[in-house]
Amino acid sequence: MKTLLATAISSALLLSGCSEPNVNADNKQQTTAQSISAQAQQATNPLLEKSTLQYETPDFAVIKDEHFLPAFNQGMAQQMAQVQDIINNTAPTTFENTIVALEQSGELLTRASSIFYNLAGSSSNPARRELQKELAPKLAAHRDNIFLNDALFKKVATLFEKTDSLALTAQETRLLDVYYKRFVRSGAQLNDEQKQQIRDINSSLSTLTTQFSQNLLALSKSNVVIVKDQKELAGLSAGQIEQFANAATEAGHEGQYLIKITNTTRQPVLASLQNRDLREKVWRASSERALDGEFSNRDIVAQLVKLRAQKAKLLGYNSWAEFSLESQMAKKPQAVFDMFASMVPRLTQNVALEAADIQEKINASAEQFELKPWDWLYYAEQVRQDKYNLDEKAVKEYFEFNRVLEDGVFFTMNRLYGITFKPRNDLPVYHPDVKAYEVFDANGESLAIFFADYFAREGKRGGAWMSSFVKQSGLHGQKPVVVNVMNIQKGAKGEPTLISYDETTTMFHELGHGLHGMLSKVKYPTLSGTSVSRDFVEFPSTFEEDWAMHPEVIANYAKHYQTSEPIPDELLEKVIKSRSFNQGFDTLEYVSAALLDMEWHSLPADAPLQDIEKFEQDVLTKHGVNVPFVPPRYKSAFFSHSMGGGYSAGYYAYMWSEILAADAFAYVQEQGGLKRELGDKYRKEILEVGNSRDLMESFKAFRGQEPDTSALLKRRGLTATVE
């Protein structure tokens, strides 16, 4: 799944940091010593001042790991002092001296957080992992010190109660509402005993989610499959075999082959491996990871969902899912269950048809075995070749990475929004594979800095995402500095990087997130860019995906990497037709994972700790999706979206957002397709406004009506009928 946002810095981090500062400063000598020390740090720590590079782009050439902890410590102290100033202000409470003052607080903490957590996700190392562990409970405590503060909440509540008489703008009203609800949902209305319970739970949750994620990062290095005999790799290309050989050499296994495990249950290499025993070994390394051993997440999962349920109960909700969805477009868990229930009959019918074709292929091969999950991709690829005579390796020859990026993704964004991407080789980057660009509007105005970090490497978590080093803010006069991150395997040394069509659409997807951040035109940072609900944030990114196959776009970039000849019409037609192939499998594995996430977080606070494997089976059976050869895209022990943080009770959001995206894209095609006027309308009504107004109102302002689900079914090729 195109993850976006799995470790992105959310708007909540604007008001998060470490624990309360030491406020006793009666000793004058101590104060003087601290002042001298602070001045010395200021002179040597680049994080303590705004970067002098364009748009406050981080100066990665001078930032070192030892700079982060002092910056966090000083940042938390600074923000707590600013919050205390708001509380101590004896003037009548106003929007300016309370809400705007909160928006302006924590500048240093925000800067340190955005840089550190971006690097921790894309370029982790032992020092950064240790600092993550140390910071996790402190950040949680600092946030609680703000949002559980009685005196501060009274000021916010006073303003909220007289909203109608304050003569606020629509954006100011939205911001006040967001802040008030954030305080209430944090527990500001609880008594002191309950607040302490919330603090304790938040501390435990921050520690556990950090450990969960770090266990998976550790496993990305140790949980690999070593192959001794090259014959076992039959079916792979020479380039793939060379990559596995190089990976083995780098890991100290000279003369062998190392297969790394990607972040989903499904492993792409299974589509090519002829050796069934090796397929099973690879699949089990994926499916059974993090269940046992030093990096087990088995107990962490059970504890996480228990703690979240307990927190929800303290806040007056029956479950974490009920609490989480209240602030989303879906509103209630039942709406999500109903959405999936309406799809399951059609899905399972499609899967049954696909499985029958695969089993027939197995039987025709003279092998006598029943279809298993490690067989699906291998034989599905053969079925696809039978149906479409499509050679994936031949297709990749028309999808060379640089051409896809420049003549595909950047070309499309220029046609739709008038923007251009110009390399900025003078800007420092945090890894040699990262490339910097400056983004310009059609009138020549500079809009943003964009970092492209597309290639896999050790220390980078799995998946793909967008994040910001600097958020757009009219209040602070800040233009955005945005990064897209993926895990594309680079070509062998001296060879071009050829990518799959799925990786191509992911590049379009992630820049959709990127544009949501870079084209934002909102005054208040809490409301800018991607600071929207989880079930809306994937809409702008998914909307961009289908442009990858638009005739005018693909004609511009799908050219043979050696001859520059355009992709033949016959091959292109096969690629287009094959898009709907295997959609039963693709959709069911996603739906199964989303149901797991929602059911985990629908458990009440008094439910006993669960055995995660039994729980998974019970949930899949309950919803009629327990299909052995189509396992969930993520299982609980490595389900980072759900257990690692951001998307707990929110993995459904991809499908919810896809409904919006499919409907919007279909509307654009009806209106003429790749037209600047349509792009400008979409930019104005969706990309520029962030969370500054009701999200459905933004959708309707662009589309003219609420979304229809028919475009989604057509997009996924789910055309089977249920009798």
Side-chain angles (χ1 to χ4, degrees), residues 227-419:
V227 179
K228 296 181 179 180
D229 188 347
Q230 183 179 330
K231 293 179 181 178
E232 294 184 58
L233 300 176
L236 302 186
S237 68
Q240 284 177 299
I241 293 173
E242 182 181 357
Q243 287 173 355
F244 292 161
N246 292 339
T249 300
E250 290 173 8
H253 301 281
E254 185 75 36
Q256 300 181 63
Y257 306 87
L258 185 149
I259 301 175
K260 295 181 179 180
I261 302 300
T262 59
N263 62 321
T264 61
T265 306
R266 180 202 304 207
Q267 299 298 306
V269 72
L270 296 181
S272 303
L273 281 175
Q274 295 176 9
N275 187 302
R276 191 172 189 235
D277 290 338
L278 182 56
R279 290 203 306 268
E280 180 177 358
K281 187 181 295 185
V282 170
W283 186 86
R284 290 194 181 281
S286 172
S287 179
E288 298 170 4
R289 82 186 95 161
L291 286 174
D292 298 293
E294 180 184 359
F295 304 114
S296 172
N297 281 331
R298 181 187 294 273
D299 294 336
I300 291 177
V301 168
Q303 294 171 46
L304 276 172
V305 296
K306 181 78 169 177
L307 286 167
R308 287 170 180 162
Q310 290 173 344
K311 180 177 177 178
K313 183 177 181 180
L314 282 168
L315 294 168
Y317 298 85
N318 294 319
S319 67
W320 182 256
E322 185 179 290
F323 166 75
S324 295
L325 268 69
E326 182 189 56
S327 60
Q328 306 296 307
M329 294 183 78
K331 301 302 181 188
K332 293 183 179 297
Q334 194 57 48
V336 175
F337 287 127
D338 289 346
M339 174 181 72
F340 288 134
S342 69
M343 299 175 64
V344 166
R346 179 170 291 184
L347 277 179
T348 52
Q349 187 183 53
N350 272 264
V351 167
L353 293 171
E354 292 169 3
D357 286 342
I358 289 172
Q359 188 65 59
E360 183 178 341
K361 192 69 179 176
I362 292 172
N363 296 341
S365 69
E367 296 195 55
Q368 300 298 315
F369 60 81
E370 185 180 345
L371 172 63
K372 297 293 184 182
W374 47 88
D375 300 315
W376 186 289
L377 293 183
Y378 179 72
Y379 287 97
E381 180 61 26
Q382 294 187 35
V383 172
R384 182 169 69 159
Q385 290 184 28
D386 286 348
K387 286 180 177 289
Y388 308 107
N389 192 24
L390 188 64
D391 182 350
E392 190 62 39
K393 296 171 188 172
V395 172
K396 282 187 175 184
E397 294 180 355
Y398 293 89
F399 293 88
E400 190 273 323
F401 169 78
N402 288 309
R403 187 165 263 159
V404 170
L405 179 64
E406 295 170 10
D407 297 341
V409 181
F410 289 170
F411 166 80
T412 305
M413 305 315 158
N414 175 260
R415 290 297 306 275
L416 282 174
Y417 311 115
I419 61 175

Side-chain angles (χ1 to χ4, degrees), residues 367-508:
E367 296 195 55
Q368 300 298 315
F369 60 81
E370 185 180 345
L371 172 63
K372 297 293 184 182
W374 47 88
D375 300 315
W376 186 289
L377 293 183
Y378 179 72
Y379 287 97
E381 180 61 26
Q382 294 187 35
V383 172
R384 182 169 69 159
Q385 290 184 28
D386 286 348
K387 286 180 177 289
Y388 308 107
N389 192 24
L390 188 64
D391 182 350
E392 190 62 39
K393 296 171 188 172
V395 172
K396 282 187 175 184
E397 294 180 355
Y398 293 89
F399 293 88
E400 190 273 323
F401 169 78
N402 288 309
R403 187 165 263 159
V404 170
L405 179 64
E406 295 170 10
D407 297 341
V409 181
F410 289 170
F411 166 80
T412 305
M413 305 315 158
N414 175 260
R415 290 297 306 275
L416 282 174
Y417 311 115
I419 61 175
T420 54
F421 293 75
K422 296 186 178 179
R424 286 292 304 272
N425 298 324
D426 58 311
L427 290 175
V429 293
Y430 55 87
H431 189 276
D433 283 343
V434 179
K435 207 171 175 184
Y437 297 85
E438 186 172 356
V439 184
F440 292 90
D441 212 341
N443 62 4
E445 177 190 355
S446 178
L447 296 172
I449 298 296
F450 172 67
F451 285 103
D453 182 1
Y454 287 112
F455 300 118
R457 61 176 172 269
E458 188 175 325
K460 180 188 282 190
R461 69 178 176 87
W465 66 93
M466 163 269 180
S467 190
S468 299
F469 286 104
V470 180
K471 283 193 68 176
Q472 182 271 327
S473 169
L475 181 68
H476 300 129
Q478 289 177 323
K479 290 194 174 183
V481 179
V482 162
V483 60
N484 273 179
V485 187
M486 285 180 62
N487 276 276
I488 294 172
Q489 190 65 46
K490 287 181 73 174
K493 189 174 182 179
E495 296 292 324
T497 297
L498 306 180
I499 64 176
S500 67
Y501 180 68
D502 184 63
E503 288 171 324
T504 298
T505 60
T506 302
M507 290 172 66
F508 277 81

Side-chain angles (χ1 to χ4, degrees), residues 16-28:
S16 66
C18 305
S19 56
E20 290 184 274
N22 183 351
V23 295
N24 293 321
D26 296 331
N27 187 301
K28 190 173 182 180

Side-chain angles (χ1 to χ4, degrees), residues 641-686:
H641 298 76
S642 177
M643 301 302 167
Y647 276 58
S648 58
Y651 192 60
Y652 78 93
Y654 289 95
M655 184 67 74
W656 194 278
S657 294
E658 190 180 349
I659 293 171
L660 304 176
D663 190 64
F665 190 82
Y667 164 74
V668 168
Q669 302 318 302
E670 292 167 3
Q671 300 301 309
L674 194 66
K675 286 187 174 182
R676 177 70 184 280
E677 55 265 36
L678 291 168
D680 284 346
K681 181 182 180 183
Y682 180 81
R683 175 176 175 174
K684 176 185 176 183
E685 303 296 353
I686 303 296

